[in-house]
């Protein structure tokens, strides 16, 4: 399963500026580095090559930003769990992203004869953000801070976890 990794710049807009200020920034960036999408103050770019141009525009307007690595999730085969809304970034054009600083993706494998992947996944269910299924492969999304927990639970059921992002 091939997922698209993209780059985000999370702007820290100064307080008290008129709405036109934001529009000027977006227009300036769009002229130099095409935006893939945006969500509030988060600007999303498809390529690393676009970041220097976008940063020049932000520097011109004296707007600091933080870079983040984002993963574009495919809408087909995506199943959302209870925590999904806490982690998902849904842009104006309805693309769905997760921040890789917060979310990790894994598959679980039954590598031993006594492996029980179903109960392992059931125990992890309350921590799941969602999963993506494609071509008989299911990739699970979980809070990055819970990677060690997922590894321990999988091991208890004689399974292995393969981390993808």
């Amino acid at each position: 399963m091939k997922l698209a990794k993209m780059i985000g710049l999370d702007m820290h807009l100064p307080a008290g500026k008129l709405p036109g200020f934001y529009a000027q920034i977006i227009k300036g960036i769009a002229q130099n580095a095409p935006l893939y999408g945006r969500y509030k103050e988060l600007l999303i770019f498809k390529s690393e090559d676009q970041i220097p141009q976008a940063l020049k525009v932000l520097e011109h307007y004296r707007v600091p930003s933080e870079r983040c690595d984002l993963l574009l999730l495919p809408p087909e085969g995506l199943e959302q769990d209870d925590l999904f809304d806490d982690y998902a970034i849904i842009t104006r054009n309805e693309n769905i992203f997760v921040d890789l600083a917060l979310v990790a993706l894994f598959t679980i494998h039954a590598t031993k004869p006594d492996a029980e992947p179903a109960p392992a996944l059931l125990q992890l269910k309350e921590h799941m953000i969602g999963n993506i299924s494609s071509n008989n492969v299911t990739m699970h999304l979980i809070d990055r801070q819970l990677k060690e927990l997922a590894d321990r639970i999988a091991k208890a059921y004689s399974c292995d976890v393969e981390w993808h992002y």
Side-chain angles (χ1 to χ4, degrees):
M1 176 180 327
K2 182 76 173 152
L3 301 173
K5 197 170 170 185
M6 298 196 185
I7 300 107
L9 290 177
D10 194 8
M11 299 184 295
H12 301 288
L13 294 172
K17 294 287 184 179
L18 296 173
F21 181 72
Y22 177 74
Q24 282 181 306
I25 293 171
I26 298 302
K27 183 179 177 187
I29 288 174
Q31 289 172 346
N32 297 296
L35 283 167
Y36 185 84
R38 61 185 189 182
Y39 175 79
K40 298 181 182 178
E41 285 103 30
L42 177 65
L43 307 175
I44 303 166
F45 301 90
K46 200 171 188 175
S47 165
E48 184 70 44
D49 301 342
Q50 299 166 320
I51 300 302
Q53 292 292 65
L55 288 172
K56 280 183 188 177
V57 174
L58 292 175
E59 286 171 14
H60 172 77
Y61 287 100
R62 294 188 180 100
V63 173
S65 64
E66 287 180 52
R67 179 199 163 97
C68 54
D69 292 321
L70 303 171
L71 192 66
L72 176 62
L73 302 180
E76 54 282 337
L78 177 64
E79 183 181 313
Q80 303 174 12
D81 283 318
D82 293 341
L83 299 174
F84 187 80
D85 291 337
D86 296 337
Y87 292 88
I89 300 166
I90 303 173
T91 64
R92 291 178 179 205
N93 52 359
E94 298 187 17
N95 287 316
I96 304 168
F97 293 89
V98 291
D99 185 337
L100 290 174
L102 304 174
V103 176
L105 285 82
F106 71 94
T107 50
I108 192 163
H109 304 282
T111 53
K112 297 175 184 156
D114 61 339
E116 299 177 282
L121 288 169
L122 188 60
Q123 191 168 348
L124 285 166
K125 181 79 173 150
E126 69 180 282
H127 305 293
M128 294 287 196
I129 296 166
N131 62 58
I132 306 162
S133 297
S134 176
N135 301 326
N136 295 324
V137 174
T138 300
M139 206 175 286
H140 306 279
L141 291 81
I142 195 166
D143 187 299
R144 184 163 292 284
Q145 295 180 27
L146 299 177
K147 283 178 72 172
E148 188 178 315
L149 173 68
D151 284 329
R152 285 196 320 261
I153 289 172
K155 187 176 181 179
Y157 289 95
S158 301
C159 297
D160 288 330
V161 170
E162 180 182 353
W163 295 101
H164 299 278
Y165 291 96

